[in-house]
Amino acid sequence: MATAGSGGDGETETSSLHLEAEWPNLGDKKRMISSGNPFEYLVETLVCSPDKTFFNISKLQGTEYDALPYCIRVVLETVVRNCDGVLVKEDDAMKVLKWNTNCECQEIPFLPARVVLQDFTGIPAMVDYAAMRDAMKKLDRDPKLVNPACPTDLIVDHSLQLDFTKCSAAQTGSTASSIDSPRQSSKLPPAKPASTKSHCRGQSSCKGACDSGSTSQSSREQIENTPMLCPFHLQPIPEPEAALKSLELEFNRNKERLQFFKWCSKAFKNVTVIPPETGTVHQVNLEYLSRLVMEKEGFLYPDSVLGTDSHTTMVNGLGILGLGFGGIESEAAMLGIPISLNLPEVVGCEVTGSVSQLSTSIDVVLSITKHLRQADLSGRFVEFFGEGVSQLSVVDRTTIANMCPEYGATVAFFPVDQVTLSHLKQTGVDEQRLRVFEAYMKAVKLLKEENSTTIPRYSKVLEINLNTIVPYVSGPKRPQDRVSVTDMKKDFETCLNEKVGSRGFHIPAERQKLEVSVTYKSSEYMLSHGSVLIAAVISCTNNCNPSVMLTAGLLAKKAVEAGLKVKPYIRTSLSPGSGTVTHYLTASGVLPFLNQLGFDIFGYGCSRCVSNTNPLPEEIVTAIKEGDLVACGVFSGNKHFEGSRCSCIRANYLASPPLVVAYALAGTVNIDLQTDALGFNSRGEKVFLRDIWPTREEVLQVEENLIIPSMFKELKIKIEKQNTRWNLLDSPESTLFPWDLRSTYIRSPPFFSRLVCKTPIYAYLISIQKCISLHKDKYSKFHHLISISIVIKLCMFIHVCKNIFNALALSRF
C-alpha cells in the first residue's frame, strides 16, 4: 500500500487511517482518563453500544452547559478529558463552563485530538523526534519509547515547485479579426536547454517564444524550465506529460527529504505520513483524515485538530474544531503538552431566508465572506446557526470556514447536524459507525437538532439574510465593476450611453437599437449590440467547485430537453482545470448535454483566459465591423478586459459557469433573465431561464449521491495503493535514523547531545524516575509526573526556549 505511514509495527486501520496512539502511564481499564481526573464520575456507557464509553459533559451543571456555544462545548470536553490536576486543572474546566464571563481575560490549556503538519513544519518536528531517540539510546533507554503522544498526520507535498510546463508559441501571423490558435504537434520533443533569447516581458507585440523579433517559426512546442517561458504562450494540454516530468524531478530533487519521511512513517508509532501526489494539507485533512468522533480503546471523544496551515479552519465546516497555529505549539501538542488558549468571544452568525433561484454556491460563499469581513472578528470564534444553515451544503460550509483568514476570525464553526451526517454517509463512513457518532453527539449535546429552539448565548449576533444574495457578473471592461444579473440589461444600456472610458462605449442613441443581418452556414441571423460571440467555461476562478459546474451541466441538460440550441457562430468551449472536473461531469451524466450545446472539453489548462481563442467566422467579424457593434464575450475566468480575446469583442463579462451557458443560449447580454425568454422550443413556445434553471436541491442531490461517493472512493484508492514512486522509494529500516554527515538539509540537532553530556538535571530526573518506578503503587501520582515522557518533554522545552526553560526546570526540581 502507498499508505501513509503506519509507524511501529506497520499495522493500519483502513477505515480511519490512523494507528493506535501510545498513552504511557495510564491505567489499563480507563487508559483515556488522566490519573487523578476529578471528572471521572462523568464517564458513561453509550446506550446503543455498551462497549463504548465517554465523558458526558452535558451533565456538568446542565443549565450553564446548554447556554454554551457548540465550539466552546468541544473545548470544554477537551479540558475535562485531559484534566490531571497538573497541566490541566479542575479550575480550567470551570473557566470554560463560565465562558461568557471569562472570555478574553482567561487562558485555558487546550490539547487537540490530533496534529496536522505540512511539509515545511514537519521536517523540523520529526528531526527533533529522531534526535530524541538518539538521546534515549545514549541514556541506555529504549529509543522506541519516543513517539508523539498526540496522533500526528504529516502531508508531504503541501508545497510543490513547478518545473515543467508544456508551452507553444503563438503564431506570428495574426489578423485584425482574431487571435489565431497555435497548432499542436502530436509528439512531444525532449526537454531543451533554457532559451537564451530575451523575454517578452508581457509586451503585446510579442510574436514568438519569448522573442518579440522572432518570426522564423510559426509554431513550436517545448518543455522547458518554467522561469524561461512566456506566460502569454502557455497552451492547454490534454495529456499530463508536464506533470509527470515535474513529479519525476520532484522525487529526484527531494529524495533525501522523502526518504526521511518514509523512515518516520515506519519508525514512529502514532505518525501518519501522506505520500506525495496526493494534495494540499487542508484538503487532505478535510477529505481523508477528519473523523468527527475519535475512538481510542472504546473511548469516544470529539475530533479536534491543531494544524500548521492557516486554512486548517476548513474542517470547521464539518463540525470539527480546527485551529491554525505555529510549529512550536504543534510540537508541544505532539508531546502531549496543552497549548495556552485565550477563551475567545464567540460571535453568533444567524443565517435566515433562502437562496434565490439564480444564486450559486460561489455567490453565497462570497457574499457571506464579504459580510463577515465588514465585522470586527479578529481573534474571535464565529458560529453559524439559524434556519438558513440547513440550506448550505458541506461544500459551502467548508469553503466559508476556509475563508477565515479573509475575515480575520480564528474559527468559523458549523455545528454537526443531519446535513453533516448525510455527507459522511456519502463519503463512505460505515453505517454502524455513523449510528455510534450520532448517538454520542446527541448524548453530549454536540448535535444540532432540526427542531431545537434552544439558542446558545453568544457574545454578539450578526444576521445574514440569504434572500439578499443575488448573482453577479463583472464587466464589461474591468473585473472590479460588479453588476447584478437582475440589473444586467439596464447596466449594459447605460454603458452604451456613457463616454468611452472604464465602462462606456459612447454609442449614439439612434444606433443603439441597430441590428445587422448576417448569413452563416446558409442561415440568417441578426446581430446587435450585446450579441454574444464567445462563451467559455475555463479553468480559472470558479469552475472547480462541483456544485457550480453541476449547475451548468444540469442547466444544459434541461435546455437540450426543452429544445433550446446555441447559435452556431458563438464560439463555445469547456477547458477545466483538471481531469477531476471531467470525472464528475461524466459520473453525473451531464457532459453529453454540454457537448450538444457546443461546450466540448478540448483540454485542461489556461486557454481563452490567456487569449488562446480560435478565429471567429469571417462573416460575423465583417458584420460586427460594418455595424460598429459592441459584441460580447462571457467567460468563467479572469483577464476579461476590452479586446483581450479579439479586437472586435469590446465587452467582456466574468460570470459563473451556469450563467455562461445561459447567456450562450440567449445569444445576448442585453437581456433581463427574469422576464425575457431565452428562446423557443420545438412547439414555438417561449422558454424562460426559470423553466430550466436547476434548483439547489437537485444540484445537492446529484453532488451528494453521485459525485462525492465516487470522488472519495478514488481518493482513498490513490492514497493507499496507487503511489508507485512512494512504494518503490528506499528508506532505512532502523529504529534510529542514520544521519548523513554530508547532508546540508537534514542534520541531527546538537542540543540533545550537549544536554545528555553536560546537564546534571537530566541524570537527576532519570534517577528520580527509576526510584519512583520501584514504588509506583505508593507514589502513582509522582510516577505520572516524573515519567520518561516528562523527561522527553523537558528536552523539547529546553530546545524551544533554551535558557529560560533550563532555569524553570532547575527551580522546579
Side-chain angles (χ1 to χ4, degrees):
M1 292 176 67
T3 129
S6 341
D9 34 355
E11 297 178 359
T12 57
E13 180 184 346
T14 305
S15 60
S16 64
L17 183 66
H18 287 292
L19 289 178
E20 299 303 320
E22 181 184 25
W23 297 87
N25 304 314
L26 300 181
D28 293 334
K29 188 175 181 180
K30 296 179 179 178
R31 297 182 68 192
M32 283 301 300
I33 305 173
S34 299
S35 177
N37 193 317
F39 300 103
E40 194 170 335
Y41 67 93
L42 294 175
V43 176
E44 292 186 2
T45 299
L46 195 64
V47 175
C48 70
S49 184
D51 59 327
K52 312 291 185 188
T53 57
F54 64 98
F55 274 106
N56 192 347
I57 53 173
S58 65
K59 293 186 177 180
L60 192 64
Q61 299 183 19
T63 305
E64 293 187 26
Y65 180 84
D66 291 343
L68 292 177
Y70 287 84
C71 55
I72 298 298
R73 298 179 193 184
V74 177
V75 175
L76 177 61
E77 194 282 339
T78 302
V79 173
V80 167
R81 174 166 38 88
N82 292 290
C83 187
D84 59 2
V86 182
L87 296 176
V88 184
K89 300 179 181 179
E90 185 176 0
D91 288 344
D92 295 321
M94 294 301 105
K95 290 177 185 176
V96 180
L97 192 62
K98 300 181 184 301
W99 154 82
N100 205 34
T101 58
N102 292 324
C103 60
E104 290 200 334
C105 63
Q106 296 284 350
E107 289 188 355
I108 52 103
F110 176 77
L111 185 62
R114 55 191 177 90
V115 173
V116 171
L117 302 174
Q118 53 173 285
D119 47 3
F120 287 159
T121 50
I123 281 284
M126 299 317 299
V127 164
D128 287 343
Y129 271 89
M132 281 191 281
R133 284 202 164 189
D134 292 342
M136 290 291 287
K137 180 69 173 177
K138 292 180 181 180
L139 289 169
D140 295 327
R141 305 288 295 190
D142 185 2
K144 292 182 180 179
L145 291 175
V146 178
N147 295 288
C150 184
T152 301
D153 305 308
L154 196 157
I155 286 76
V156 171
D157 61 359
H158 175 69
S159 303
L160 293 177
Q161 179 173 327
L162 181 63
D163 293 288
F164 294 101
T165 302
K166 190 174 180 181
C167 166
S168 180
Q171 289 185 348
T172 56
S174 62
T175 66
S177 64
S178 67
I179 298 177
D180 293 336
S181 177
R183 297 191 299 270
Q184 290 187 328
S185 61
S186 58
K187 294 183 179 180
L188 186 69
K192 298 180 181 180
S195 172
T196 57
K197 297 179 181 180
S198 60
H199 308 316
C200 68
R201 306 295 183 192
Q203 290 93 329
S204 58
S205 60
C206 179
K207 301 293 184 181
C210 301
D211 182 4
S212 60
S214 173
T215 57
S216 60
Q217 292 179 317
S218 61
S219 178
R220 57 185 174 183
E221 191 175 64
Q222 60 188 356
I223 287 185
E224 290 185 359
N225 193 293
T226 301
M228 301 305 297
L229 296 179
C230 170
F232 289 86
H233 299 141
L234 296 180
Q235 181 71 8
I237 54 172
E239 287 88 20
E241 299 99 335
L244 292 175
K245 289 184 72 68
S246 290
L247 286 171
E248 182 180 352
L249 183 57
E250 182 80 8
F251 263 79
N252 291 332
R253 177 195 294 123
N254 293 308
K255 185 176 182 180
E256 180 184 9
R257 181 183 70 153
L258 297 176
Q259 286 177 325
F260 175 73
F261 281 149
K262 192 167 185 180
W263 171 80
C264 292
S265 71
K266 295 183 293 184
F268 291 106
K269 293 182 180 180
N270 228 18
V271 172
T272 296
V273 177
I274 301 298
E277 305 178 52
T278 302
T280 189
V281 57
H282 49 273
Q283 200 71 30
V284 174
N285 182 33
L286 173 71
E287 297 174 352
Y288 192 67
L289 300 174
S290 298
R291 283 167 286 174
L292 190 63
V293 177
M294 305 284 286
E295 180 178 350
K296 171 65 181 176
E297 297 181 353
F299 201 96
L300 304 176
Y301 54 103
D303 189 5
S304 59
V305 59
L306 194 69
T308 57
D309 183 77
S310 60
H311 294 286
T312 305
T313 55
M314 195 173 192
V315 295
N316 295 331
L318 271 179
I320 297 171
L321 187 62
L323 297 165
F325 271 86
I328 293 177
E329 292 87 350
S330 298
E331 286 197 48
M334 290 169 66
L335 288 163
I337 300 174
I339 65 169
S340 181
L341 184 69
N342 280 331
L343 273 177
E345 287 187 4
V346 180
V347 177
C349 184
E350 184 177 10
V351 183
T352 60
S354 57
V355 181
S356 65
Q357 183 186 21
L358 299 183
S359 296
T360 66
S361 294
I362 294 295
D363 298 316
V364 173
V365 169
L366 293 182
S367 295
I368 291 177
T369 300
K370 180 182 178 181
H371 189 93
L372 294 175
R373 195 171 185 176
Q374 294 170 348
D376 181 17
L377 299 176
S378 178
R380 293 169 171 80
F381 285 14
V382 177
E383 184 169 290
F384 295 85
F385 71 100
E387 59 182 14
V389 172
S390 61
Q391 297 191 42
L392 302 177
S393 68
V394 168
V395 174
D396 297 335
R397 298 177 186 189
T398 53
T399 307
I400 293 169
N402 189 44
M403 301 289 278
C404 258
E406 297 295 325
Y407 45 83
T410 304
V411 163
F413 194 79
F414 286 85
V416 178
D417 58 9
Q418 291 302 321
V419 174
T420 313
L421 296 176
S422 298
H423 172 82
L424 291 175
K425 182 179 180 180
Q426 298 304 327
T427 61
V429 177
D430 181 273
E431 284 195 14
Q432 174 60 28
R433 292 183 66 201
L434 270 180
R435 283 194 291 270
V436 171
F437 288 0
E438 184 172 4
Y440 168 72
M441 299 300 263
K442 283 183 178 179
V444 294
K445 297 184 179 179
L446 287 176
L447 180 68
K448 180 68 174 177
E449 302 282 0
E450 291 183 8
N451 54 358
S452 174
T453 57
T454 304
I455 299 176
R457 187 185 303 119
Y458 296 107
S459 303
K460 65 177 180 179
V461 174
L462 304 175
E463 183 178 349
I464 295 179
N465 191 338
L466 297 179
N467 293 327
T468 62
I469 298 176
V470 295
Y472 284 86
V473 299
S474 63
K477 296 184 179 183
R478 303 186 305 176
Q480 63 264 40
D481 296 327
R482 301 176 70 209
V483 183
S484 169
V485 171
T486 56
D487 297 330
M488 182 66 168
K489 183 174 183 177
K490 180 180 178 181
D491 185 82
F492 183 75
E493 292 173 350
T494 301
C495 291
L496 293 180
N497 284 315
E498 288 185 5
K499 293 182 179 180
V500 175
S502 60
R503 286 174 50 82
F505 299 100
H506 198 55
I507 303 298
E510 64 274 12
R511 295 184 59 84
Q512 291 181 11
K513 303 296 182 182
L514 176 68
E515 291 186 343
V516 178
S517 176
V518 60
T519 301
Y520 179 69
K521 291 186 177 181
S522 303
S523 297
E524 186 175 354
Y525 301 95
M526 302 301 295
L527 299 180
S528 61
H529 295 292
S531 290
V532 174
L533 299 186
I534 298 178
V537 178
I538 51 185
S539 62
C540 50
T541 307
N542 60 9
N543 79 343
C544 292
N545 184 304
S547 62
V548 174
M549 290 299 289
L550 284 175
T551 303
L554 291 172
L555 176 64
K557 179 177 182 293
K558 290 188 174 186
V560 171
E561 292 171 348
L564 297 180
K565 297 180 180 180
V566 175
K567 295 178 176 62
Y569 60 80
I570 298 177
R571 289 293 183 250
T572 52
S573 62
L574 172 60
S575 55
S578 74
T580 303
V581 180
T582 304
H583 167 76
Y584 60 69
L585 290 178
T586 303
S588 60
V590 299
L591 188 58
F593 297 99
L594 285 165
N595 293 340
Q596 287 186 55
L597 295 182
F599 290 93
D600 299 281
I601 295 178
F602 67 90
Y604 303 95
C606 288
S607 52
R608 305 201 184 231
C609 57
V610 289
S611 303
N612 289 332
T613 303
N614 49 333
L616 296 172
E618 291 186 6
E619 304 93 323
I620 303 299
V621 173
T622 301
I624 294 295
K625 289 184 175 181
E626 288 179 355
D628 190 27
L629 299 177
V630 179
C632 298
V634 186
F635 310 87
S636 71
N638 53 15
K639 302 185 182 71
H640 56 295
F641 43 84
E642 183 177 3
S644 61
R645 273 79 180 187
C646 177
S647 59
C648 64
I649 296 180
R650 296 156 65 183
N652 293 278
Y653 287 93
L654 166 63
S656 64
L659 285 178
V660 172
V661 175
Y663 282 115
L665 290 168
T668 179
V669 299
N670 194 10
I671 182 176
D672 187 335
L673 292 176
Q674 290 186 315
T675 59
D676 296 340
L678 294 177
F680 298 88
N681 59 22
S682 56
R683 298 184 298 274
E685 300 169 339
K686 290 182 178 181
V687 178
F688 296 87
L689 183 60
R690 59 177 176 269
D691 299 328
I692 61 173
W693 189 274
T695 64
R696 280 182 62 84
E697 289 73 18
E698 289 178 291
V699 175
L700 294 179
Q701 184 178 5
V702 173
E703 183 179 349
E704 290 287 340
N705 295 337
L706 293 176
I707 308 308
I708 290 179
S710 59
M711 288 177 67
F712 275 77
K713 183 179 179 180
E714 283 202 358
L715 175 65
K716 187 173 182 179
I717 293 173
K718 180 178 180 180
I719 292 178
E720 296 182 352
K721 296 181 180 179
Q722 292 184 346
N723 202 312
T724 306
R725 289 185 181 87
W726 178 259
N727 293 340
L728 297 177
L729 184 67
D730 293 329
S731 64
E733 301 289 339
S734 56
T735 301
L736 303 178
F737 184 71
W739 306 100
D740 184 356
L741 299 180
R742 297 168 298 176
S743 173
T744 59
Y745 185 47
I746 297 178
R747 302 287 296 271
S748 177
F751 53 84
F752 280 117
S753 58
R754 292 198 299 267
L755 192 66
V756 170
C757 297
K758 298 180 181 180
T759 307
I761 185 176
Y762 210 86
Y764 183 51
L765 287 174
I766 290 295
S767 63
I768 292 178
Q769 197 270 338
K770 288 181 178 179
C771 179
I772 295 180
S773 295
L774 297 175
H775 309 281
K776 59 183 177 182
D777 295 333
K778 186 175 181 181
Y779 302 106
S780 59
K781 185 173 182 179
F782 291 103
H783 179 258
H784 174 68
L785 291 177
I786 316 295
S787 64
I788 191 64
S789 61
I790 294 295
V791 175
I792 295 172
K793 294 172 186 178
L794 275 171
C795 294
M796 183 57 70
F797 269 125
I798 293 170
H799 161 46
V800 173
C801 301
K802 294 186 179 178
N803 294 332
I804 296 176
F805 277 89
N806 262 321
L808 177 62
L810 287 169
S811 63
R812 180 175 179 181
F813 296 99

